[in-house]
Amino acid sequence: MLPVAILVAAFFLAPLGDQIPESFSGLWRTGPYVMFAILTVLGLAYNRGRALLVALMLVLLMILEEHPGRLGIWGQEHFVTLVVTVLLPINLALIGWYRERGVITGFGLMRLGIIVAQLVAVGVYYHVSPDLFTSVVADFGPKLSYIVFALCGCSLATSALVRRSAFTYALVIAYAGFLLGLLYEGQPNLFHANSIAIGLILSIAILRESYDMAYRDELTHLPQRRALNELFMSLGGDYAVAMIDVDHFKNFNDTHGHEIGDDVLKMVASQIDKVGDGGKAFRYGGEEFTVVYPGKVKEQALRSLEKVRDAIEHYEMVLRSPRPKDQTTGGESAKRGKGAQSAAKTVSVTISIGVADRADRTETSGQVLKKADEALYRAKKTGRNRLVVA
């Protein structure tokens, strides 16, 4: 919601640009370049090649919109139209699907080369056949741009749903801001306000992704140990802690493979993340998870934890069939047949839970975790698939 709020704020604040004192009027002109410079610095600092490509294209857009004559033969009106309404949307859509490959790498330089090659090809085409170029752009440009805008918008939205990264989400909002700036092209204040907003949105997305890499587990998307330790440092009063372990997970991994094991961990994490009563879920490590209840005692956590335990016990997973490696060898064929049979099977797992709370203010978070871990050990020793209170 934050990128949307920034873009909406830019739209409604842009008309106020005329009321800014003359001494600050240069902010509208230099603001976008400052934001794109910040975006470039963040891209280099965090090795985000996609952000660098977007910053490059947005700077090009600003130059084409403000100073087309400075580009020589490339500053012609039809060249600007083709770049802004066709090449830029297509490349933004492609970036939405790119995996992050860094900046000064083979992939990063290749992607930069693709953008430069497009501009060179269009410039050479205009230089060799200016009349044909002009007629083609004039005849097909408007119709083509509508089709390109729609297709690239759908592509970006799809990539955001598939990739589920902060930067890709921000790229969709930035694309909406880009279209909004073109629709209100006659209002220079809006164009500059949107450009500043786009640079800010993408910069925040880089910081958000970097935060997630440091504090969130890549597999389960739950906060990990570093975030848990920081939460404990901020808790000064009562709190309850639950330690959760997937029962017989090593045997499950050995039987069904690590890919199915990862699916189990993601399923368990998704169920634990739904815990109620103010509980905050974390991945502690391996097949262990932690739930912290700030301001609660252990008795107040039992209902929601029991609900999670029951939901996981009755959750049935369909086993995926392993992809055959060799359809000619007998050994692999046998594996394939066995995988095909198991694909129709469903499995379920259970969890054991140990719960403790801070009995007095002198106890440290490590001592509370140890009590919860000891309760978890008793839960596993006495039959598993149960909740034990310290």
Side-chain angles (χ1 to χ4, degrees):
M1 295 304 297
L2 179 60
V4 176
I6 292 174
L7 194 61
V8 171
F11 181 81
F12 285 104
L13 292 177
L16 301 179
D18 295 330
Q19 303 176 20
I20 293 179
E22 189 174 344
S23 57
F24 292 97
S25 60
L27 290 175
W28 289 115
R29 194 162 299 278
T30 61
Y33 293 104
V34 172
M35 287 309 310
F36 298 153
I38 293 174
L39 180 61
T40 301
V41 170
L42 289 175
L44 291 171
Y46 291 100
N47 198 29
R48 292 290 180 266
R50 295 189 302 168
L52 214 60
L53 293 178
V54 173
L56 172 67
M57 289 191 295
L58 293 176
V59 169
L60 177 63
L61 172 63
M62 293 294 300
I63 295 175
L64 289 175
E65 287 289 331
E66 290 192 329
H67 313 290
R70 294 186 181 181
L71 297 179
I73 62 168
W74 288 10
Q76 302 302 318
E77 177 184 355
H78 293 297
F79 174 83
V80 176
T81 300
L82 186 65
V83 170
V84 173
T85 62
V86 178
L87 295 186
L88 189 60
I90 288 176
N91 283 281
L92 287 176
L94 288 176
I95 291 173
W97 287 103
Y98 285 162
R99 293 185 179 275
E100 187 54 66
R101 300 287 191 175
V103 179
I104 310 299
T105 63
F107 282 101
L109 296 176
M110 179 185 69
R111 290 166 178 175
L112 177 62
I114 290 174
I115 294 176
V116 174
Q118 293 172 27
L119 297 174
V120 172
V122 174
V124 170
Y125 180 36
Y126 168 77
H127 185 67
V128 173
S129 304
D131 295 334
L132 179 60
F133 179 88
T134 301
S135 64
V136 169
V137 174
D139 293 339
F140 299 101
K143 298 177 182 177
L144 180 62
S145 62
Y146 291 132
I147 297 173
V148 169
F149 284 145
L151 292 178
C152 292
C154 292
S155 176
L156 266 177
T158 304
S159 68
L161 294 174
V162 173
R163 296 288 186 217
R164 291 187 170 278
S165 69
F167 188 82
T168 313
Y169 286 131
L171 200 57
V172 174
I173 306 302
Y175 185 77
F178 163 66
L179 293 184
L180 201 61
L182 293 181
L183 290 174
Y184 292 87
E185 190 175 6
Q187 301 182 22
N189 286 343
L190 180 62
F191 178 79
H192 287 85
N194 273 3
S195 299
I196 294 173
I198 289 171
L200 179 60
I201 289 168
L202 294 173
S203 298
I204 292 174
I206 292 178
L207 297 176
R208 174 60 188 271
E209 282 196 341
S210 300
Y211 172 88
D212 286 345
M213 289 177 63
Y215 288 91
R216 285 195 177 273
D217 175 59
E218 186 176 4
L219 177 66
T220 64
H221 302 294
L222 288 179
Q224 53 188 0
R225 288 278 290 275
R226 179 179 294 182
L228 176 64
N229 292 335
E230 289 198 2
L231 174 63
F232 279 135
M233 292 175 63
S234 67
L235 296 176
D238 298 330
Y239 57 86
V241 176
M243 291 296 294
I244 302 172
D245 187 84
V246 181
D247 296 329
H248 301 296
F249 184 72
K250 184 178 184 304
N251 293 336
F252 189 94
N253 248 352
D254 293 340
T255 303
H256 301 290
H258 292 287
E259 288 187 7
I260 304 298
D262 287 346
D263 289 342
V264 167
L265 290 178
K266 288 189 283 188
M267 181 275 292
V268 170
S270 69
Q271 295 297 321
I272 295 175
D273 197 32
K274 298 175 184 177
V275 68
D277 295 334
K280 298 181 179 181
F282 300 83
R283 186 179 183 188
Y284 193 77
E287 66 270 23
E288 283 191 310
F289 300 86
T290 305
V291 179
V292 180
Y293 292 84
K296 301 288 180 68
V297 295
K298 55 194 176 186
E299 288 78 12
Q300 294 173 295
L302 300 183
R303 183 183 65 86
S304 58
L305 289 171
E306 183 61 33
K307 186 176 179 181
V308 168
R309 187 204 60 76
D310 184 71
I312 292 174
E313 179 187 8
H314 292 93
Y315 192 101
E316 294 187 344
M317 289 185 57
V318 178
L319 292 181
R320 294 180 298 173
S321 175
R323 182 178 298 177
K325 296 180 180 179
D326 184 359
Q327 298 186 9
T328 59
T329 60
E332 292 299 336
S333 297
K335 291 180 181 178
R336 187 176 69 255
K338 182 179 179 180
Q341 293 176 358
S342 64
K345 295 180 179 179
T346 60
V347 296
S348 60
V349 295
T350 60
I351 59 172
S352 298
I353 308 174
V355 189
D357 59 13
R358 197 181 191 194
D360 60 72
R361 300 299 174 88
T362 63
E363 284 188 316
T364 65
S365 59
Q367 291 172 320
V368 180
L369 277 172
K370 184 178 180 181
K371 290 194 302 182
D373 204 45
E374 290 172 349
L376 170 63
Y377 177 76
R378 290 201 301 273
K380 298 182 80 68
K381 191 175 181 180
T382 56
R384 294 182 169 85
N385 189 25
R386 62 190 61 203
L387 187 156
V388 171
V389 181

